[in-house]
Coordinates of all heavy atoms in Angstrom, one line a residue:
M1 N 139.5 33.5 48.5 CA 139.6 33.5 47.0 C 139.7 32.2 46.4 O 139.0 31.7 45.5 CB 140.7 34.5 46.6 CG 140.6 34.8 45.1 SD 139.1 35.7 44.6 CE 139.3 35.8 42.9
K2 N 140.6 31.4 47.0 CA 140.9 30.0 46.6 C 139.6 29.2 46.7 O 139.2 28.4 45.8 CB 142.0 29.4 47.4 CG 142.8 28.4 46.6 CD 144.1 28.0 47.3 CE 144.9 27.0 46.5 NZ 146.1 26.6 47.3
A3 N 139.0 29.4 47.9 CA 137.7 28.6 48.2 C 136.7 28.9 47.1 O 136.0 28.0 46.7 CB 137.2 29.0 49.6
I4 N 136.6 30.1 46.7 CA 135.6 30.5 45.7 C 135.9 29.7 44.4 O 135.0 29.1 43.7 CB 135.6 32.0 45.4 CG1 135.1 32.7 46.7 CG2 134.7 32.3 44.2 CD1 135.1 34.2 46.6
L5 N 137.1 29.7 44.0 CA 137.5 29.0 42.8 C 137.1 27.5 42.9 O 136.6 26.9 41.9 CB 139.0 29.1 42.5 CG 139.5 30.4 42.0 CD1 141.0 30.5 41.8 CD2 138.8 30.7 40.6
V6 N 137.3 26.9 44.0 CA 137.0 25.5 44.2 C 135.5 25.3 44.0 O 135.1 24.4 43.3 CB 137.5 25.0 45.6 CG1 136.9 23.6 45.9 CG2 139.0 25.0 45.7
V7 N 134.7 26.2 44.6 CA 133.3 26.1 44.5 C 132.8 26.2 43.0 O 132.0 25.4 42.5 CB 132.6 27.2 45.3 CG1 131.1 27.2 45.0 CG2 132.8 26.9 46.8
V8 N 133.5 27.1 42.3 CA 133.1 27.3 40.9 C 133.4 26.1 40.1 O 132.7 25.6 39.3 CB 133.8 28.6 40.3 CG1 133.7 28.6 38.8 CG2 133.3 29.8 41.0
A9 N 134.6 25.5 40.4 CA 135.0 24.3 39.7 C 134.1 23.2 39.9 O 133.7 22.4 39.0 CB 136.5 23.9 40.1
A10 N 133.7 23.0 41.2 CA 132.8 21.9 41.6 C 131.4 22.1 40.9 O 130.8 21.1 40.4 CB 132.6 21.9 43.1
A11 N 131.0 23.3 40.8 CA 129.7 23.6 40.1 C 129.8 23.2 38.7 O 128.9 22.7 38.1 CB 129.3 25.1 40.3
G12 N 131.0 23.5 38.1 CA 131.2 23.2 36.6 C 131.1 21.7 36.4 O 130.5 21.2 35.5
I13 N 131.7 20.9 37.3 CA 131.7 19.4 37.2 C 130.2 18.9 37.4 O 129.8 18.1 36.6 CB 132.6 18.8 38.3 CG1 134.0 19.1 38.0 CG2 132.4 17.3 38.3 CD1 135.0 18.8 39.1
L14 N 129.5 19.5 38.3 CA 128.1 19.1 38.5 C 127.3 19.4 37.3 O 126.5 18.6 36.8 CB 127.5 19.8 39.7 CG 127.8 19.3 41.1 CD1 127.2 20.1 42.2 CD2 127.3 17.8 41.2
A15 N 127.5 20.6 36.7 CA 126.7 21.0 35.6 C 127.0 20.0 34.4 O 126.1 19.6 33.7 CB 127.1 22.4 35.2
S16 N 128.3 19.6 34.2 CA 128.5 18.7 33.0 C 128.0 17.4 33.4 O 127.6 16.6 32.5 CB 130.0 18.7 32.8 OG 130.7 18.3 33.9
G17 N 127.9 17.0 34.6 CA 127.3 15.7 35.0 C 125.9 15.7 34.6 O 125.4 14.7 34.1
V18 N 125.2 16.8 34.8 CA 123.8 16.9 34.5 C 123.6 16.6 33.0 O 122.6 16.0 32.5 CB 123.2 18.2 34.9 CG1 121.8 18.5 34.3 CG2 123.1 18.3 36.4
G19 N 124.5 17.1 32.2 CA 124.4 17.0 30.7 C 124.4 15.5 30.3 O 123.7 15.2 29.4
Y20 N 125.0 14.6 31.1 CA 125.0 13.2 30.8 C 123.6 12.6 31.0 O 123.2 11.6 30.4 CB 126.0 12.5 31.6 CG 127.3 12.5 31.0 CD1 128.3 13.4 31.4 CD2 127.6 11.7 29.9 CE1 129.6 13.4 30.8 CE2 128.8 11.7 29.2 CZ 129.8 12.6 29.7 OH 131.0 12.6 29.1
A21 N 122.9 13.2 32.0 CA 121.6 12.6 32.4 C 120.4 13.2 31.5 O 119.3 13.2 31.9 CB 121.3 12.9 33.8
Q22 N 120.8 13.6 30.3 CA 119.8 14.2 29.4 C 118.7 13.1 29.1 O 119.0 11.9 28.9 CB 120.4 14.5 28.0 CG 121.0 15.9 27.9 CD 121.6 16.1 26.6 OE1 122.1 15.1 26.0 NE2 121.6 17.3 26.1
S23 N 117.5 13.5 28.9 CA 116.4 12.6 28.6 C 116.6 12.3 27.1 O 117.2 13.1 26.3 CB 115.1 13.2 28.9 OG 114.8 14.2 27.9
G24 N 115.9 11.2 26.6 CA 116.0 10.9 25.2 C 115.4 12.0 24.3 O 115.9 12.2 23.3
A25 N 114.4 12.7 24.9 CA 113.8 13.7 24.1 C 114.8 14.8 23.8 O 114.9 15.4 22.7 CB 112.6 14.3 24.7
D26 N 115.6 15.1 24.9 CA 116.6 16.2 24.8 C 117.7 15.8 23.8 O 118.2 16.6 23.0 CB 117.3 16.4 26.1 CG 116.3 17.1 27.1 OD1 115.3 17.7 26.7 OD2 116.6 17.0 28.3
V27 N 118.1 14.5 23.9 CA 119.1 14.0 23.0 C 118.6 14.1 21.5 O 119.4 14.6 20.6 CB 119.5 12.6 23.3 CG1 120.5 12.0 22.2 CG2 120.1 12.5 24.7
A28 N 117.4 13.7 21.3 CA 116.9 13.7 19.9 C 116.9 15.1 19.4 O 117.1 15.3 18.2 CB 115.5 13.1 19.9
K29 N 116.6 16.1 20.2 CA 116.7 17.5 19.8 C 118.1 17.9 19.6 O 118.4 18.5 18.5 CB 116.0 18.3 20.9 CG 115.5 19.6 20.4 CD 114.6 20.2 21.5 CE 114.4 21.7 21.2 NZ 113.8 22.4 22.3
A30 N 118.9 17.7 20.6 CA 120.3 18.2 20.6 C 121.1 17.5 19.4 O 122.0 18.2 18.8 CB 121.0 17.9 21.9
K31 N 120.8 16.3 19.1 CA 121.6 15.6 18.0 C 121.0 15.7 16.6 O 121.4 15.1 15.7 CB 121.7 14.1 18.4 CG 122.6 13.9 19.6 CD 124.0 14.3 19.3 CE 124.8 14.6 20.6 NZ 126.1 15.0 20.3
G32 N 120.0 16.6 16.5 CA 119.4 16.9 15.2 C 118.4 15.8 14.7 O 118.0 15.9 13.5
C33 N 118.1 14.8 15.5 CA 117.1 13.8 15.0 C 115.8 14.6 14.6 O 115.2 14.2 13.6 CB 116.8 12.8 16.1 SG 118.2 12.2 16.9
L34 N 115.4 15.6 15.3 CA 114.2 16.3 15.1 C 114.2 17.2 13.8 O 113.2 17.7 13.4 CB 113.7 17.0 16.3 CG 113.6 16.2 17.6 CD1 113.0 17.0 18.7 CD2 112.7 15.0 17.3
N35 N 115.4 17.3 13.3 CA 115.5 18.1 12.0 C 114.9 17.3 10.9 O 114.4 17.8 9.9 CB 117.0 18.4 11.6 CG 117.6 19.3 12.6 OD1 116.9 20.1 13.3 ND2 118.9 19.3 12.7
C36 N 114.9 16.0 11.1 CA 114.4 15.1 10.0 C 113.2 14.3 10.5 O 112.5 13.7 9.7 CB 115.4 14.1 9.5 SG 116.8 14.9 8.7
H37 N 112.9 14.2 11.8 CA 111.8 13.5 12.3 C 110.9 14.3 13.1 O 111.4 15.1 14.0 CB 112.3 12.3 13.2 CG 113.1 11.3 12.4 ND1 112.5 10.3 11.6 CD2 114.4 11.1 12.4 CE1 113.5 9.6 11.1 NE2 114.6 10.0 11.5
E38 N 109.6 14.3 13.0 CA 108.7 14.9 13.8 C 107.8 13.9 14.5 O 107.8 12.8 14.1 CB 107.8 15.9 13.0 CG 108.2 17.3 13.1 CD 107.3 18.2 12.3 OE1 106.1 18.3 12.7 OE2 107.8 18.9 11.4
M39 N 107.2 14.4 15.6 CA 106.4 13.4 16.4 C 105.4 12.6 15.6 O 105.3 11.4 15.6 CB 105.7 14.2 17.6 CG 104.9 13.3 18.5 SD 105.8 11.9 19.2 CE 106.6 12.8 20.6
D40 N 104.5 13.4 14.9 CA 103.4 12.7 14.2 C 103.2 13.1 12.8 O 102.1 13.0 12.3 CB 102.1 12.7 15.1 CG 101.8 14.2 15.4 OD1 102.4 15.1 14.8 OD2 101.0 14.4 16.3
K41 N 104.3 13.6 12.2 CA 104.2 14.0 10.8 C 105.4 13.6 10.1 O 106.5 13.7 10.6 CB 104.0 15.5 10.7 CG 103.1 16.0 9.7 CD 102.8 17.5 9.8 CE 104.0 18.4 9.7 NZ 103.8 19.7 10.4
K42 N 105.3 13.0 8.8 CA 106.4 12.7 8.1 C 107.2 14.0 7.7 O 106.6 14.9 7.3 CB 106.0 11.9 6.8 CG 107.1 11.4 6.0 CD 106.6 10.5 4.9 CE 107.6 10.2 3.8 NZ 108.9 9.9 4.2
K43 N 108.5 13.9 7.8 CA 109.3 15.1 7.5 C 110.3 14.6 6.4 O 109.8 14.1 5.4 CB 110.0 15.6 8.7 CG 110.2 17.1 8.7 CD 110.8 17.5 10.1 CE 111.1 19.0 10.1 NZ 111.7 19.4 11.4
V44 N 111.6 14.6 6.7 CA 112.5 14.0 5.8 C 112.4 12.4 6.0 O 112.4 11.7 5.1 CB 114.0 14.4 6.1 CG1 114.9 13.8 5.1 CG2 114.1 15.9 6.0
G45 N 112.3 12.1 7.3 CA 112.2 10.6 7.6 C 110.8 10.4 8.2 O 110.0 11.4 8.4
P46 N 110.4 9.2 8.5 CA 109.1 8.9 9.0 C 108.9 9.5 10.4 O 109.9 9.8 11.1 CB 109.1 7.3 9.1 CG 110.5 6.9 9.1 CD 111.3 8.0 8.3
S47 N 107.6 9.7 10.8 CA 107.4 10.3 12.1 C 107.8 9.4 13.2 O 107.9 8.1 13.0 CB 105.9 10.6 12.2 OG 105.1 9.4 12.4
L48 N 108.1 9.9 14.4 CA 108.5 9.1 15.5 C 107.5 8.0 15.8 O 107.8 6.9 16.1 CB 108.7 10.0 16.8 CG 109.8 11.1 16.6 CD1 110.0 11.8 17.9 CD2 111.1 10.5 16.1
K49 N 106.2 8.4 15.8 CA 105.1 7.5 16.1 C 105.0 6.3 15.1 O 104.7 5.2 15.4 CB 103.8 8.2 16.1 CG 103.6 9.1 17.4 CD 102.2 9.6 17.6 CE 102.1 10.2 18.9 NZ 100.8 11.0 19.1
E50 N 105.3 6.7 13.8 CA 105.3 5.7 12.8 C 106.4 4.7 13.0 O 106.2 3.4 12.9 CB 105.6 6.4 11.5 CG 105.0 5.8 10.2 CD 105.3 6.7 9.0 OE1 105.0 7.9 9.1 OE2 105.8 6.1 8.0
I51 N 107.6 5.1 13.4 CA 108.7 4.3 13.7 C 108.4 3.4 14.9 O 108.6 2.2 14.9 CB 110.0 5.1 14.0 CG1 110.4 5.9 12.8 CG2 111.1 4.2 14.4 CD1 111.5 6.9 13.0
A52 N 107.8 4.0 16.0 CA 107.5 3.2 17.2 C 106.5 2.2 16.8 O 106.5 1.0 17.3 CB 106.9 4.2 18.2
A53 N 105.5 2.5 16.0 CA 104.4 1.5 15.6 C 105.0 0.4 14.8 O 104.7 -0.8 15.1 CB 103.4 2.2 14.8
K54 N 106.0 0.7 13.9 CA 106.6 -0.3 13.1 C 107.4 -1.4 13.9 O 107.4 -2.5 13.6 CB 107.6 0.4 12.1 CG 108.3 -0.6 11.2 CD 109.1 0.3 10.2 CE 110.2 -0.6 9.5 NZ 111.1 0.2 8.7
Y55 N 108.0 -0.9 15.0 CA 108.8 -1.7 15.8 C 108.2 -2.2 17.1 O 108.9 -2.7 18.0 CB 110.2 -1.1 16.1 CG 111.0 -1.0 14.8 CD1 111.1 0.2 14.1 CD2 111.7 -2.1 14.4 CE1 111.9 0.2 13.0 CE2 112.4 -2.1 13.2 CZ 112.5 -0.9 12.5 OH 113.3 -0.9 11.4
K56 N 106.9 -2.0 17.3 CA 106.3 -2.2 18.6 C 106.4 -3.6 19.1 O 106.5 -3.9 20.3 CB 104.9 -1.6 18.7 CG 103.8 -2.5 18.0 CD 102.5 -1.8 18.2 CE 101.3 -2.4 17.6 NZ 101.4 -3.3 16.5
D57 N 106.5 -4.6 18.2 CA 106.6 -6.0 18.6 C 107.9 -6.6 18.4 O 108.2 -7.8 18.6 CB 105.6 -6.8 17.7 CG 104.1 -6.5 18.0 OD1 103.8 -6.2 19.1 OD2 103.4 -6.4 17.0
D58 N 108.9 -5.7 18.2 CA 110.3 -6.2 17.9 C 111.2 -5.8 19.2 O 111.6 -4.7 19.4 CB 110.8 -5.4 16.7 CG 112.2 -6.0 16.3 OD1 112.8 -6.7 17.1 OD2 112.6 -5.7 15.1
K59 N 111.4 -6.9 20.0 CA 112.2 -6.7 21.2 C 113.6 -6.2 20.9 O 114.2 -5.6 21.7 CB 112.2 -7.9 22.0 CG 110.8 -8.4 22.5 CD 110.6 -8.0 23.9 CE 109.2 -8.3 24.4 NZ 108.1 -7.5 23.8
G60 N 114.2 -6.6 19.8 CA 115.6 -6.3 19.5 C 115.7 -5.0 18.7 O 116.8 -4.6 18.2
A61 N 114.6 -4.2 18.6 CA 114.6 -3.0 17.8 C 115.7 -2.0 18.2 O 116.4 -1.5 17.3 CB 113.3 -2.4 17.8
E62 N 115.8 -1.8 19.5 CA 116.7 -0.7 19.9 C 118.2 -1.0 19.5 O 118.8 -0.1 18.9 CB 116.6 -0.7 21.5 CG 117.3 0.6 22.0 CD 117.5 0.5 23.5 OE1 116.4 0.2 24.2 OE2 118.6 0.7 24.0
G63 N 118.6 -2.3 19.7 CA 120.0 -2.6 19.3 C 120.2 -2.6 17.8 O 121.2 -2.0 17.3
K64 N 119.2 -3.1 17.1 CA 119.3 -3.1 15.6 C 119.4 -1.7 15.0 O 120.2 -1.4 14.2 CB 118.0 -3.8 15.0 CG 118.3 -5.1 14.3 CD 117.0 -5.6 13.6 CE 115.9 -5.9 14.5 NZ 114.7 -6.6 14.0
L65 N 118.5 -0.8 15.5 CA 118.4 0.5 15.1 C 119.7 1.3 15.5 O 120.2 2.1 14.7 CB 117.1 1.2 15.6 CG 115.9 0.7 15.0 CD1 114.7 1.2 15.7 CD2 115.8 1.0 13.5
A66 N 120.2 1.1 16.6 CA 121.4 1.7 17.1 C 122.6 1.4 16.1 O 123.3 2.3 15.7 CB 121.8 1.3 18.5
E67 N 122.6 0.1 15.7 CA 123.6 -0.3 14.8 C 123.5 0.4 13.5 O 124.4 0.9 12.9 CB 123.5 -1.8 14.6 CG 124.6 -2.5 13.9 CD 125.9 -2.5 14.9 OE1 125.7 -2.3 16.1 OE2 127.0 -2.7 14.3
K68 N 122.3 0.5 13.0 CA 122.0 1.1 11.7 C 122.3 2.6 11.7 O 123.0 3.1 10.7 CB 120.4 0.9 11.4 CG 119.9 1.5 10.2 CD 118.5 1.1 9.9 CE 118.0 1.8 8.7 NZ 116.7 1.4 8.2
L69 N 122.0 3.3 12.8 CA 122.3 4.7 12.8 C 123.8 5.0 13.0 O 124.3 6.0 12.5 CB 121.5 5.4 13.9 CG 120.1 5.9 13.5 CD1 119.1 4.7 13.2 CD2 119.5 6.8 14.6
K70 N 124.4 4.1 13.7 CA 125.8 4.3 14.0 C 126.7 4.1 12.8 O 127.6 4.8 12.5 CB 126.3 3.3 15.1 CG 127.3 3.9 16.0 CD 127.5 3.1 17.3 CE 127.9 1.7 17.0 NZ 128.1 0.9 18.3
E71 N 126.3 3.0 12.0 CA 127.1 2.7 10.9 C 126.6 3.5 9.7 O 127.3 3.5 8.6 CB 126.9 1.2 10.5 CG 127.2 0.2 11.6 CD 128.7 0.2 11.9 OE1 129.5 0.4 11.0 OE2 129.1 0.0 13.1
G72 N 125.5 4.2 9.8 CA 125.0 4.9 8.7 C 124.5 4.0 7.5 O 124.6 4.3 6.4
K73 N 124.0 2.8 7.9 CA 123.5 1.8 6.9 C 122.0 2.2 6.6 O 121.1 1.9 7.4 CB 123.5 0.4 7.5 CG 124.8 -0.2 7.6 CD 124.6 -1.7 8.1 CE 125.8 -2.2 8.9 NZ 125.5 -3.0 10.0
G74 N 121.8 2.8 5.4 CA 120.4 3.1 5.0 C 119.8 4.2 5.9 O 118.6 4.4 5.8
H75 N 120.7 4.9 6.6 CA 120.2 6.0 7.4 C 121.3 7.0 7.5 O 122.5 6.6 7.6 CB 119.8 5.5 8.8 CG 119.2 6.6 9.6 ND1 119.9 7.6 10.3 CD2 117.9 6.9 9.8 CE1 119.1 8.4 10.9 NE2 117.8 8.1 10.7
P76 N 121.0 8.3 7.5 CA 122.1 9.2 7.6 C 122.9 8.9 8.9 O 122.3 8.7 10.0 CB 121.4 10.6 7.8 CG 120.1 10.4 7.2 CD 119.7 8.9 7.3
K77 N 124.2 8.8 8.9 CA 125.0 8.4 10.0 C 124.8 9.4 11.2 O 124.8 10.6 11.0 CB 126.5 8.5 9.6 CG 127.4 7.7 10.4 CD 128.8 7.6 9.7 CE 129.9 6.9 10.4 NZ 129.9 6.5 11.7
A78 N 124.5 8.9 12.3 CA 124.2 9.7 13.5 C 125.5 10.1 14.3 O 126.3 9.2 14.6 CB 123.2 9.0 14.4
A79 N 125.7 11.4 14.5 CA 126.8 11.8 15.2 C 126.5 11.9 16.7 O 126.3 12.9 17.3 CB 127.3 13.2 14.7
A80 N 126.3 10.7 17.3 CA 126.0 10.6 18.7 C 126.7 9.5 19.3 O 127.0 8.5 18.7 CB 124.5 10.5 18.9
S81 N 126.9 9.6 20.6 CA 127.6 8.5 21.3 C 126.6 7.3 21.5 O 125.4 7.5 21.3 CB 128.1 8.9 22.7 OG 126.9 9.1 23.5
D82 N 127.1 6.1 21.9 CA 126.3 5.0 22.1 C 125.2 5.3 23.1 O 124.0 4.9 22.9 CB 127.1 3.7 22.5 CG 128.0 3.2 21.4 OD1 127.9 3.8 20.3 OD2 128.7 2.2 21.7
A83 N 125.6 5.9 24.2 CA 124.6 6.2 25.3 C 123.6 7.2 24.8 O 122.4 7.0 25.1 CB 125.4 6.8 26.5
E84 N 124.0 8.1 23.9 CA 123.0 9.1 23.4 C 122.1 8.4 22.5 O 120.8 8.7 22.5 CB 123.8 10.2 22.7 CG 124.5 11.2 23.7 CD 125.5 12.1 23.0 OE1 125.9 11.8 21.9 OE2 125.9 13.1 23.6
L85 N 122.6 7.6 21.6 CA 121.8 6.9 20.7 C 120.7 6.0 21.4 O 119.6 6.0 21.0 CB 122.6 6.0 19.8 CG 123.1 6.6 18.5 CD1 123.9 5.5 17.7 CD2 122.0 7.2 17.7
K86 N 121.2 5.3 22.4 CA 120.3 4.5 23.2 C 119.2 5.3 23.8 O 118.0 4.9 23.7 CB 121.1 3.8 24.3 CG 120.5 2.7 25.0 CD 121.5 2.0 25.9 CE 120.8 1.4 27.1 NZ 120.4 0.3 27.5
A87 N 119.5 6.4 24.4 CA 118.5 7.3 25.0 C 117.5 7.8 23.9 O 116.3 7.8 24.1 CB 119.2 8.4 25.7
A88 N 118.1 8.2 22.8 CA 117.2 8.8 21.7 C 116.3 7.7 21.2 O 115.1 7.9 21.0 CB 118.1 9.3 20.6
L89 N 116.9 6.5 21.0 CA 116.0 5.4 20.4 C 115.0 4.9 21.4 O 113.8 4.6 21.0 CB 116.9 4.2 20.0 CG 117.7 4.5 18.7 CD1 118.8 3.5 18.5 CD2 116.8 4.6 17.5
Q90 N 115.3 4.9 22.7 CA 114.3 4.5 23.7 C 113.2 5.5 23.7 O 112.0 5.1 23.8 CB 114.9 4.5 25.1 CG 115.6 3.1 25.3 CD 116.4 3.1 26.7 OE1 116.5 4.1 27.3 NE2 117.0 2.0 27.0
Y91 N 113.5 6.8 23.5 CA 112.5 7.8 23.4 C 111.6 7.6 22.2 O 110.4 7.6 22.2 CB 113.2 9.2 23.4 CG 112.3 10.3 22.9 CD1 111.2 10.7 23.8 CD2 112.5 11.0 21.8 CE1 110.3 11.7 23.3 CE2 111.6 12.0 21.4 CZ 110.6 12.3 22.1 OH 109.7 13.3 21.7
V92 N 112.3 7.4 21.0 CA 111.5 7.2 19.8 C 110.6 6.1 19.9 O 109.4 6.2 19.5 CB 112.5 7.0 18.6 CG1 111.8 6.7 17.3 CG2 113.4 8.3 18.3
L93 N 111.1 4.9 20.4 CA 110.3 3.7 20.4 C 109.2 3.8 21.5 O 108.3 3.0 21.5 CB 111.2 2.5 20.7 CG 112.2 2.2 19.6 CD1 113.2 1.1 20.0 CD2 111.5 1.8 18.3
S94 N 109.3 4.8 22.4 CA 108.3 4.9 23.4 C 107.2 5.9 23.0 O 106.2 6.1 23.8 CB 108.9 5.5 24.7 OG 109.2 6.9 24.5
T95 N 107.2 6.4 21.8 CA 106.2 7.4 21.4 C 105.0 6.8 20.8 O 104.1 7.5 20.4 CB 106.8 8.4 20.3 OG1 107.3 7.6 19.2 CG2 108.0 9.2 20.9
K96 N 104.9 5.5 20.7 CA 103.7 4.8 20.1 C 102.4 5.1 20.8 O 102.4 5.5 22.0 CB 103.9 3.3 20.0 CG 104.2 2.6 21.3 CD 104.4 1.1 21.1 CE 104.8 0.4 22.3 NZ 106.2 0.6 22.6
Ligands
HEC101 C1 119.2 13.9 7.6 C2 117.9 13.5 8.1 C3 117.9 12.6 9.3 C4 118.4 12.7 10.5 C5 119.3 13.9 11.0 C6 117.9 11.6 11.3 N1 117.2 10.8 10.5 FE1 116.3 9.1 11.2 N2 115.6 8.7 9.3 C7 115.8 9.5 8.2 C8 115.2 8.9 7.0 C9 115.2 9.5 5.6 C10 114.7 7.7 7.4 C11 113.9 6.6 6.6 C12 114.9 5.7 6.0 C13 115.2 4.6 7.0 O1 114.3 3.8 7.3 O2 116.4 4.5 7.4 C14 114.9 7.6 8.9 C15 114.5 6.5 9.7 C16 114.8 6.4 11.0 C17 114.4 5.3 11.9 C18 113.6 4.0 11.4 C19 114.6 3.1 10.7 C20 114.0 1.8 10.3 O3 114.7 0.9 10.0 O4 112.7 1.7 10.2 C21 114.8 5.6 13.1 C22 114.6 4.7 14.4 C23 115.5 6.9 13.1 N3 115.4 7.3 11.8 C24 116.0 7.5 14.2 C25 116.8 8.6 14.2 C26 117.5 9.2 15.3 C27 117.4 8.6 16.7 C28 118.1 10.3 14.8 C29 119.0 11.2 15.6 C30 120.2 10.5 16.2 C31 117.8 10.4 13.4 N4 117.0 9.4 13.1 C32 118.3 11.4 12.6 C33 116.4 10.8 8.2 C34 117.1 11.3 9.3

């Protein structure tokens, strides 16, 4: 019985570990980015492709945008961790 509990606990840890390895697309969905942004259509905010195109020559875009979203400067404040924001932004910037 005890052994079964250990296995269940280990499985739980593994499952939560997988949560951290979410792809940027998953994060964008889970964190509500897609409520306001669509792949190739303007919604509340510009489309992901439009954003990627705007920043395609800007090497510092990821850091700048992370700052903007985290601080809520000119953008609805994003309720996501730094790692999640990074993943989501890499995804957004890769959609060009
Ligand atoms: C409540 C609606 C809303 C949500 C939720 C939202 N956005 Fe936005 N987003 C906007 C609007 C409106 C703009 C256009 C204004 C601007 O440029 O900041 C925008 C612009 C952007 C830009 C371009 C900013 C620039 O300087 O050109 C990026 C990148 C972006 N959003 C990423 C995200 C990510 C990543 C998430 C999820 C963590 C997200 N957004 C969630 C509304 C939203």
Side-chain angles (χ1 to χ4, degrees):
M1 194 56 185
K2 210 170 182 183
I4 293 173
L5 282 178
V6 170
V7 170
V8 170
I13 291 166
L14 278 178
S16 57
V18 168
Y20 274 102
Q22 271 179 333
S23 75
D26 291 339
V27 174
K29 198 168 167 195
K31 292 295 158 185
C33 313
L34 302 185
N35 292 336
C36 292
H37 295 284
E38 255 181 65
M39 180 57 79
D40 50 17
K41 217 169 58 205
K42 186 170 163 44
K43 211 173 177 183
V44 181
S47 72
L48 301 186
K49 286 190 171 170
E50 209 178 309
I51 296 170
K54 177 175 167 190
Y55 288 101
K56 73 179 183 337
D57 296 321
D58 187 345
K59 297 261 176 287
E62 190 190 313
K64 244 188 301 190
L65 291 172
E67 197 65 19
K68 178 169 174 172
L69 270 71
K70 214 165 63 180
E71 305 293 327
K73 283 185 213 143
H75 186 278
K77 201 167 178 347
S81 71
D82 288 1
E84 285 165 345
L85 270 184
K86 190 170 153 105
L89 286 169
Q90 277 172 356
Y91 165 67
V92 171
L93 294 172
S94 75
T95 58
K96 58 179 170 285

